């Protein structure tokens, strides 16, 4: 049975009415909200910008789980560019720049300070204000006011993190983005595969598709409104594109043989994919407007895992034409094939950053499959991880972090590493084996 | 080439009954012994012609019966789609069966979890193709053979070491109508 998001929502609405009572009962029992995931920063360097995030003053019903300051502080810490000052050290808890005593914060060596306040102006509706303060210059760097619904408070927190990140590093933040991933859940001999989308920190997961047969290779459209993926629902691989807002989906490729590795071009006009319809795995391009299919590669070896370079005029891909998997690049019409990797005997699943400067991929060394980045100009390779079974690396849209899947204690988990390899973190979901994460492009506001 | 597997009489008999039963009446799934019932019914240990235990096949599903036709899984080396001698012999036995029975066959290629998923999907297909090549070389029409790849998505064994990986690098032989 295959369930799309819209069907799930319809079912949920009818179920909600029935179980509303049960939820109220649980509320009365005052059970603490069960965390669905934990984020652990497993390795990091303390050389970030010292920042103090003061809990916002709050008038009205509190947020369900974390507070806005918690979310903002966690975002900034995960980036590796900040070092947040422990709250127990704070000498005061101001909520407006008017009440900030700069010496309190200079004493703690804070360079930046975040203060804010929220007020419920109608049931479930909040006015939120925050200010970012330069402690040494004693002036405001940013200040914004918002009116949002209660369910937008988490998203707003990520937006505020993006503003802080931008003001203090000069680079665009990528907190208000999403990740797509696949989970496999097992109960007894029954398996189910779920395609999910969550916030960039793993929170607010929702199921896009559920199937008893494997799901693979989620890929974002450049406007983050659609996902392409591979489904085995008919007992063989087929490629679909599904809209996130209404769950509507379309079958794109169901040729004889394998249909795999979809990748939207950055201009949103094309979908590169792999098919073995002409005898062995080759890379093709599907024109999303004309539906015309063009074959790009012609080789008896395996050609797979296409990924576009910015500008949509070139692609990188994996080929074993040399005898083992290595990464190649070619023009969008299939001409000009050139090998990019020579280190080691296994380099695969390349993915290029949005600015085209870096490429991440999986490399084998000492029997381990780990994440590396290659500088596209110098071809220098930096190893980012040293775990056994890493896979599916993709860049954050600002190119600063690489999200990938790995295995811990026999379970698939998501992990992220800064592109310089200095900050490592894992996202552990309580349920299921998690694999194949894909970081979304920037969201349209 | 080691392929003669000696097993206890109970297991062999069970295998023969099951296989001959299938020869008369084509079953929907597979003309072979249900490997699970054989391994649980049989108490024998496997050993080769030299009297030594069969390390490679021990515990491997489908390996308990002596009859090659009862084996529905063909195993591969890491990152390889070349058939082993055992694999070749198993496929030859199935080609013989297909020559005498008008059924179709599905060859389902799989990979172990190491390496990237999309590459492994291609590798699984290549394994299924090399199994198909054997059947076609022995006279089975390509229209009766379907190949499908699941890559690393449907492991038979769970775990993260070579004993598990070697069981997952396989082609499964399934019969249709």
């Amino acid at each position: 049975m295959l369930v799309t998001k819209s069907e799930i929502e319809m079912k949920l609405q009818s179920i909600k009415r029935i179980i509303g009572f049960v939820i109220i009962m649980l509320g009365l029992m005052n059970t603490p909200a069960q965390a669905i995931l934990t984020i652990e920063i497993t390795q990091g360097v303390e050389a970030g910008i010292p920042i103090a995030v003061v809990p916002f003053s709050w008038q009205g019903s509190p947020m369900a789980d974390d507070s806005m300051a918690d979310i903002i502080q966690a975002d900034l810490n995960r980036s590796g560019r900040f070092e947040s000052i422990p709250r127990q050290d704070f000498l005061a808890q101001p909520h407006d720049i008017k009440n900030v005593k700069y010496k309190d914060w200079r004493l703690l060596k804070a360079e930046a300070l975040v203060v804010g306040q929220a007020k419920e102006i109608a049931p479930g509706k909040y006015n939120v204000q925050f200010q970012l303060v330069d402690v040494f210059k004693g002036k405001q760097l940013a200040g914004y006011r918002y009116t949002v619904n209660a369910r937008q408070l988490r998203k707003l927190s990520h937006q505020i993190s993006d503003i802080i990140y931008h003001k203090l590093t000069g680079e665009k933040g990528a907190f208000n983005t999403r990740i797509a991933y696949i989970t496999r859940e097992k109960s007894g001999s029954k398996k189910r595969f779920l395609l999910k989308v969550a916030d960039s920190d793993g929170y607010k997961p929702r199921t896009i598709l559920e199937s008893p047969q494997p799901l693979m290779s989620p890929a974002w459209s450049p406007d983050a409104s659609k996902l392409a993926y591979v489904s085995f629902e008919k007992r063989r691989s087929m490629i679909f594109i599904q809209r996130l807002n209404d769950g509507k989906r379309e079958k794109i490729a169901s040729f004889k043989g394998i249909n795999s590795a979809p990748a939207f071009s950055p201009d949103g006009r094309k979908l590169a994919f792999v098919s073995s319809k002409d005898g062995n795995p080759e890379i093709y391009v599907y024109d999303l407007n004309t539906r015309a299919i063009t074959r790009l590669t012609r080789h008896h070896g395996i050609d797979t895992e296409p990924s576009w370079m910015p500008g949509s005029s070139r692609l990188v891909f994996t080929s074993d034409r040399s005898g083992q998997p290595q990464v190649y690049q070619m023009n969008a019409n299939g001409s000009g094939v050139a090998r990019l990797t020579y280190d080691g005997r296994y380099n695969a699943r390349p993915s290029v950053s949005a600015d085209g400067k870096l490429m991440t991929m999986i490399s084998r060394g000492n029997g381990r499959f780990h994440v590396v980045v290659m500088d596209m100009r110098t071809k220098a390779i930096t190893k980012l991880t040293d775990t056994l079974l890493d896979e599916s690396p993709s860049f954050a849209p600002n190119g600063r972090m690489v999200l990938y899947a790995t295995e811990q204690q026999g379970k698939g988990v998501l992990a992220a590493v800064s592109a310089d390899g200095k900050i490592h973190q894992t996202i552990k979901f309580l349920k299921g084996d998690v694999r194949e994460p894909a970081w979304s492009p920037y969201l349209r506001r | 080439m080691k392929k003669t597997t000696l097993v206890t009489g109970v297991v062999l008999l069970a295998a023969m009954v099951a296989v001959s039963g299938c020869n008369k009446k084509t079953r929907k799934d597979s003309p072979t012994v249900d490997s699970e019932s054989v391994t649980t019914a049989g108490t024998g240990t496997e050993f080769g012609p030299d009297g030594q235990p069969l390390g490679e096949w021990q515990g491997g599903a489908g390996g308990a019966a002596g009859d090659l036709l009862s084996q529905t899984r063909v195993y591969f080396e890491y990152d390889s789609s070349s058939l082993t001698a055992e694999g070749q012999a198993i496929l030859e036995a199935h080609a013989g069966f297909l020559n005498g029975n008008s059924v179709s066959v599905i060859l389902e290629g799989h990979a172990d979890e190491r390496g990237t998923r999309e590459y492994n999907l291609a590798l699984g297909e290549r394994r299924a193709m090399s199994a198909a090549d054997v059947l076609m070389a022995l006279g089975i029409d390509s229209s009766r053979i379907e190949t499908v790849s699941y890559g690393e998505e449907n492991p038979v064994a769970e775990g993260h070491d070579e004993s598990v990986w070697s069981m997952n690098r396989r082609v499964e032989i399934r019969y249709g109508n």
Side-chain angles (χ1 to χ4, degrees):
Chain A
M1 184 182 65
L2 210 73
V3 189
T4 62
K5 185 206 136 226
S6 54
E7 290 167 66
I8 290 171
E9 278 188 349
M10 273 173 359
K11 276 184 196 161
L12 274 181
Q13 274 170 7
S14 57
I15 295 167
K16 262 182 197 161
R17 267 175 250 132
I18 306 163
I19 62 170
F21 167 74
V22 183
I23 289 170
I24 292 164
M25 286 298 291
L26 286 172
L28 290 175
M29 282 151 69
N30 201 22
T31 39
Q34 176 106 45
I36 48 160
L37 61 106
T38 57
I39 299 172
E40 264 175 38
I41 298 186
T42 49
Q43 203 186 321
V45 284
E46 295 193 354
I49 300 165
I51 188 166
V53 183
V54 180
F56 289 16
S57 71
W58 206 268
Q59 289 177 46
S61 17
M63 278 175 76
D65 35 33
D66 301 321
S67 76
M68 289 186 73
D70 291 339
I71 298 166
I72 294 164
Q73 185 169 319
D75 279 347
L76 298 175
N77 283 346
R78 280 201 332 276
S79 74
R81 310 290 296 275
F82 297 90
E83 185 192 336
S84 61
I85 291 162
R87 280 182 200 158
Q88 67 264 26
D89 296 350
F90 292 0
L91 302 170
Q93 298 229 347
H95 304 297
D96 195 296
I97 192 168
K98 291 189 299 239
N99 312 115
V100 170
K101 293 194 182 78
Y102 290 100
K103 70 168 174 17
D104 288 350
W105 304 100
R106 287 174 189 147
L107 211 61
L108 297 175
K109 301 203 163 31
E111 287 179 23
L113 173 69
V114 179
V115 294
Q117 41 199 294
K119 189 176 175 186
E120 195 170 13
I121 50 165
K125 202 161 191 158
Y126 291 81
N127 273 347
V128 178
Q129 166 190 316
F130 94 96
Q131 289 158 309
L132 173 65
V133 182
D134 183 321
V135 171
F136 289 98
K137 290 185 182 147
K139 64 164 195 166
Q140 178 175 312
L141 294 174
Y144 287 88
R145 278 193 195 99
Y146 309 85
T147 303
V148 294
N149 295 324
R151 60 180 173 80
Q152 295 172 305
L153 287 168
R154 189 169 263 282
K155 183 180 170 66
L156 177 61
S157 308
H158 293 309
Q159 278 179 18
I160 292 172
S161 302
D162 281 341
I163 294 168
I164 297 167
Y165 186 93
H166 183 226
K167 285 285 172 193
L168 297 178
T169 69
E171 290 171 18
K172 205 168 170 184
F175 302 112
N176 182 31
T177 54
R178 287 172 172 167
I179 55 174
Y181 53 94
I182 308 282
T183 64
R184 188 190 63 166
E185 294 178 3
K186 265 175 72 176
S187 57
S189 62
K190 270 217 169 121
K191 287 178 202 163
R192 60 184 194 136
F193 294 83
L194 304 153
L195 169 60
K196 294 194 172 207
V197 168
D199 286 355
S200 71
D201 58 359
Y203 282 86
K204 283 180 38 183
R206 63 186 179 104
T207 300
I208 303 303
L209 185 74
E210 182 179 336
S211 173
Q213 296 296 329
L215 298 172
M216 275 182 86
S217 310
W220 289 92
S221 66
D223 64 357
S225 71
K226 294 181 233 101
L227 283 175
Y229 56 84
V230 171
S231 171
F232 284 77
E233 62 200 60
K234 296 273 191 275
R235 304 252 166 190
R236 55 193 211 85
S237 52
M238 294 180 184
I239 297 169
F240 293 85
I241 292 178
Q242 185 167 328
R243 281 205 308 240
L244 296 180
N245 60 358
D246 60 4
K248 235 188 174 151
R249 62 184 201 143
E250 190 185 350
K251 194 195 292 168
I252 298 297
S254 55
F255 299 107
K256 185 179 176 308
I258 62 170
N259 297 279
S260 116
F264 284 95
S265 61
D267 62 12
R269 291 180 183 165
K270 288 165 181 165
L271 187 80
F273 70 101
V274 171
S275 161
S276 55
K277 69 188 180 78
D278 295 324
N280 72 301
E282 302 284 3
I283 295 167
Y284 298 79
V285 164
Y286 176 91
D287 187 306
L288 291 161
N289 293 322
T290 67
R291 296 170 183 267
I293 289 173
T294 314
R295 180 171 167 180
L296 298 192
T297 56
R298 285 172 199 280
H299 198 280
H300 56 81
I302 291 172
D303 293 319
T304 186
E305 301 170 344
S307 174
W308 295 81
M309 313 258 288
S312 303
S313 60
R314 276 193 296 171
L315 297 101
V316 290
F317 64 102
T318 307
S319 176
D320 78 341
R321 57 186 66 192
S322 71
Q324 343 97 20
Q326 295 291 351
V327 174
Y328 294 75
Q329 68 175 3
M330 64 179 163
N331 296 324
N333 64 4
S335 68
V337 175
R339 183 168 165 179
L340 289 178
T341 56
Y342 290 91
D343 282 15
R345 293 178 55 80
Y346 196 114
N347 293 295
R349 209 184 189 279
S351 180
V352 179
S353 61
D355 63 5
K357 287 181 182 161
L358 298 173
M359 178 174 81
T360 182
M361 61 188 169
I362 295 296
S363 290
R364 189 181 69 209
N366 299 322
R368 290 163 173 261
F369 292 82
H370 44 249
V371 179
V372 304
V373 288
M374 177 189 257
D375 183 309
M376 291 298 267
R377 194 176 53 82
T378 64
K379 305 284 186 285
I381 287 178
T382 312
K383 192 166 136 187
L384 296 187
T385 66
D386 197 20
T387 21
L388 182 59
L389 293 164
D390 301 337
E391 58 171 41
S392 309
S394 69
F395 279 103
N398 65 358
R400 274 287 171 179
M401 302 286 288
V402 174
L403 180 69
Y404 62 101
T406 187
E407 183 261 318
Q408 267 187 11
Q409 286 120 36
K411 211 176 132 179
V413 298
L414 302 187
V417 57
S418 55
D420 58 10
K422 285 180 179 164
I423 302 287
H424 292 254
Q425 53 195 285
T426 55
I427 303 174
K428 289 181 192 164
F429 292 85
L430 290 185
K431 250 179 123 181
D433 209 27
V434 189
R435 72 268 300 262
E436 295 195 86
W439 207 317
S440 81
Y442 290 117
L443 306 181
R444 286 186 181 166
R445 294 274 155 85
Chain B
M1 185 168 94
K2 66 173 180 202
K3 65 175 176 184
T4 326
T5 316
L6 302 177
V7 291
T8 60
V10 179
V11 176
L12 191 58
L13 191 64
M16 283 165 64
V17 168
V19 170
S20 62
C22 288
N23 278 339
K24 278 189 212 116
K25 206 160 58 171
T26 308
R27 289 199 325 193
K28 218 181 165 162
D29 47 351
S30 144
T32 59
V33 201
D34 177 354
S35 58
E36 254 177 35
S37 68
V38 171
T39 38
T40 47
T43 49
T45 47
E46 299 171 52
F47 55 96
D50 54 357
Q52 294 302 306
L54 279 178
E56 195 185 342
W57 290 98
Q58 208 151 36
D67 196 297
L68 289 169
L69 195 54
S70 73
Q71 299 190 14
T72 57
R73 285 180 188 153
V74 173
Y75 297 94
F76 294 82
E77 294 298 317
Y78 171 68
D79 199 12
S80 165
S81 55
S82 305
L83 288 160
T84 60
E86 283 90 346
Q88 179 81 24
I90 291 166
L91 285 161
E92 284 169 8
H94 283 274
F97 175 79
L98 283 161
N99 270 321
N101 295 271
S102 61
V103 291
S104 62
V105 65
I106 300 165
L107 300 169
E108 203 182 271
H110 298 268
D112 72 30
E113 65 175 350
R114 290 173 298 165
T116 64
R117 288 178 182 270
E118 289 83 3
Y119 182 77
N120 283 339
L121 191 64
L123 188 58
E125 182 181 60
R126 200 186 251 177
R127 285 174 177 156
M129 297 285 212
S130 65
D133 285 345
V134 173
L135 298 186
M136 287 191 283
L138 294 169
I140 311 304
D141 194 89
S142 64
S143 65
R144 295 171 63 196
I145 306 168
E146 191 189 330
T147 54
V148 59
S149 175
Y150 272 91
E152 62 175 279
E153 308 305 316
N154 261 351
V156 273
E158 304 268 345
H160 308 287
D161 58 51
E162 177 54 30
S163 68
V164 166
W165 293 330
S166 62
M167 288 173 73
N168 289 333
R169 293 189 300 264
R170 69 198 193 278
V171 165
E172 303 218 354
I173 305 161
R174 301 178 186 280
Y175 284 90
N177 287 315

